[in-house]
Amino acid sequence: MENRSLVTIAEHSKEKILYLLEMAREFEKKPNRSLLAEKIVATLFFEPSTRTRLSFETAANRLGAKVIGFTDPKVTSSSKGETLKDTIMMVSNYADIIVMRHFLEGAARYASEVTHVPIVNAGDGANQHPSQTMLDLYSIYKTQGTLENLNIYMVGDLKYGRTVHSLLMAMRHFNPTFHFIAPDELKMPEEYKIYCREHNIKYVEHTDFNEDVIADADILYMTRVQRERFTDLMEYERVKDIYILNKKMLDKSRTNLRILHPLPRVNEIAYDVDDSPKAYYIQQAQNGLYAREAILCDVLGITLDEVKADTLKQQRRNRL
């Protein structure tokens, strides 16, 4: 049987990515449907989350599914020593799909190998975050009108930032130029720079962050320095406030620039930026609903044609 799990965005072709974006656009037209009626979605969050968990659960509810799961592993049998394998196999008895966030890199891949139920990776350590990438791609496409030939500036925690790792891999199909802006302690890991070279992805590295450096950006992707990833808190204190975007820094920026952030923010984006028309991080989070509706349906085998047919059916019903 085909395993339809979504573990990493690197497994998706250009055609598949564009297919999912078109499906997300259909869900933006009409989020409330009954395509997943009688389905059970399990959300297993071994690591804290707000936006990812709530948007997946909202997506499931708006599609007519029922949701089970947990947000605190301390209240589950994992606190008694139950292995991840046993937890996944047990939940597989109850659910049609498992959405899982875990603090260990590779946990989603492992889970997908021990169950027949499809796994959606909602973040595994500092590794991958493919559903965030789909909403990022949808946000970029909506604001730029294309995914092709863009200047994408990634700022902040590029070492532990799983969102930037996933986005980099997804954009390999679209001829981007990346600018990696980070202190030496948080620079893009060598494995991802090797990935860029192997896939002919252009990139430039910077340590400075000012209005001149970001003047040619189409997308400015800000990230939080993640305290929870540091074993040395002194190192965290040294770098946590190293890059802060304020509104004055946008004076030389392109008119089409849009600022993205996977959220939550701490203080890497000043609040005066919120009033700028170039700030898009709140709308970006809203796009997560439509992207995750598309992911749930695709993983459960519902096609774009079925979604479009459902749209037409609802339109006819509304005309009666």
Side-chain angles (χ1 to χ4, degrees):
M1 182 182 295
E2 179 188 5
N3 190 326
R4 299 184 65 88
S5 293
L6 176 57
V7 173
T8 170
I9 204 72
E11 296 172 344
H12 277 359
S13 65
K14 180 177 183 178
E15 292 72 24
K16 180 69 171 185
I17 287 172
L18 294 175
Y19 173 91
L20 287 172
L21 294 182
E22 188 174 353
M23 192 181 286
R25 185 167 59 182
E26 287 295 313
F27 284 120
E28 183 168 7
K29 294 176 187 175
K30 182 68 177 176
N32 295 331
R33 302 166 186 259
S34 56
L35 291 167
L36 298 187
E38 302 182 11
K39 297 292 186 182
I40 304 292
V41 177
T43 55
L44 310 186
F45 280 73
F46 294 86
E47 194 177 50
S49 170
T50 301
R51 276 148 297 278
T52 302
R53 179 180 64 83
L54 290 179
S55 64
F56 263 119
E57 293 184 355
T58 302
N61 281 306
R62 288 190 179 276
L63 290 168
K66 293 180 174 62
V67 178
I68 63 172
F70 58 80
T71 60
D72 183 358
K74 293 188 183 68
V75 303
T76 72
S77 291
S78 63
S79 66
K80 304 174 185 177
E82 183 175 64
T83 64
L84 177 61
K85 177 181 179 181
D86 284 357
T87 299
I88 294 299
M89 292 178 69
M90 180 273 296
V91 175
S92 298
N93 291 323
Y94 311 139
D96 299 288
I97 181 173
I98 296 173
V99 178
M100 186 180 81
R101 170 169 289 190
H102 203 280
F103 49 86
L104 290 178
E105 296 182 17
R109 173 69 64 195
Y110 177 74
S112 73
E113 293 170 351
V114 300
T115 180
H116 65 283
V117 172
I119 302 291
V120 175
N121 182 5
D124 60 332
N127 185 30
Q128 295 284 316
H129 198 347
S131 71
Q132 176 72 42
T133 300
M134 288 310 305
L135 75 91
D136 291 343
L137 293 172
Y138 189 52
S139 298
I140 293 170
Y141 185 80
K142 282 179 66 176
T143 60
Q144 305 299 314
T146 183
L147 293 175
E148 302 282 354
N149 305 313
L150 296 174
N151 292 328
I152 300 177
Y153 287 57
M154 296 176 165
V155 183
D157 184 356
L158 308 188
K159 179 179 180 179
Y160 300 113
R162 58 194 172 200
T163 63
V164 295
H165 301 160
S166 289
L167 182 58
L168 183 155
M169 299 176 102
M171 287 298 299
R172 72 190 184 278
H173 302 296
F174 303 102
N175 193 37
T177 298
F178 284 111
H179 289 255
F180 302 144
I181 303 176
D184 289 338
E185 297 92 333
L186 295 174
K187 65 183 180 180
M188 184 66 73
E190 189 62 30
E191 64 189 279
Y192 291 102
K193 290 187 281 188
I194 291 172
Y195 184 91
C196 285
R197 293 192 290 270
E198 289 177 345
H199 291 83
N200 298 313
I201 300 171
K202 301 180 287 294
Y203 71 89
V204 181
E205 294 189 272
H206 309 264
T207 54
D208 291 334
F209 180 54
N210 55 54
E211 59 189 70
D212 293 315
V213 170
I214 65 173
D216 291 328
D218 298 306
I219 294 293
L220 184 61
Y221 197 100
M222 301 294 298
T223 66
R224 170 178 67 94
V225 177
Q226 303 173 78
R227 183 180 186 277
E228 63 270 26
R229 306 292 180 208
F230 284 79
T231 55
D232 182 348
L233 291 183
M234 292 295 291
E235 183 181 23
Y236 168 74
E237 291 295 329
R238 282 197 302 273
V239 299
K240 67 175 184 176
D241 295 328
I242 193 165
Y243 301 136
I244 299 176
L245 178 68
N246 59 62
K247 195 171 184 178
K248 182 70 171 65
M249 292 173 64
L250 303 176
D251 286 351
K252 296 182 180 180
S253 64
R254 294 181 172 183
T255 56
N256 66 299
L257 172 71
R258 291 298 179 270
I259 303 158
L260 304 185
H261 192 308
L263 302 175
R265 68 170 158 185
V266 181
N267 49 10
E268 59 278 354
I269 300 178
Y271 284 99
D272 66 355
V273 177
D274 294 357
D275 297 329
S276 170
K278 298 176 182 180
Y280 196 74
Y281 27 89
I282 302 302
Q283 299 95 315
Q284 175 189 3
Q286 183 181 22
N287 290 335
L289 171 62
Y290 317 127
R292 288 177 172 125
E293 284 188 288
I295 288 168
L296 290 175
C297 283
D298 180 67
V299 169
L300 287 169
I302 294 173
T303 67
L304 176 59
D305 286 342
E306 289 176 282
V307 176
K308 288 182 174 179
D310 183 71
T311 302
L312 292 173
K313 183 167 62 177
Q314 292 196 43
Q315 289 173 346
R316 285 196 295 268
R317 188 181 302 127
N318 292 338
R319 285 197 295 266
L320 295 177

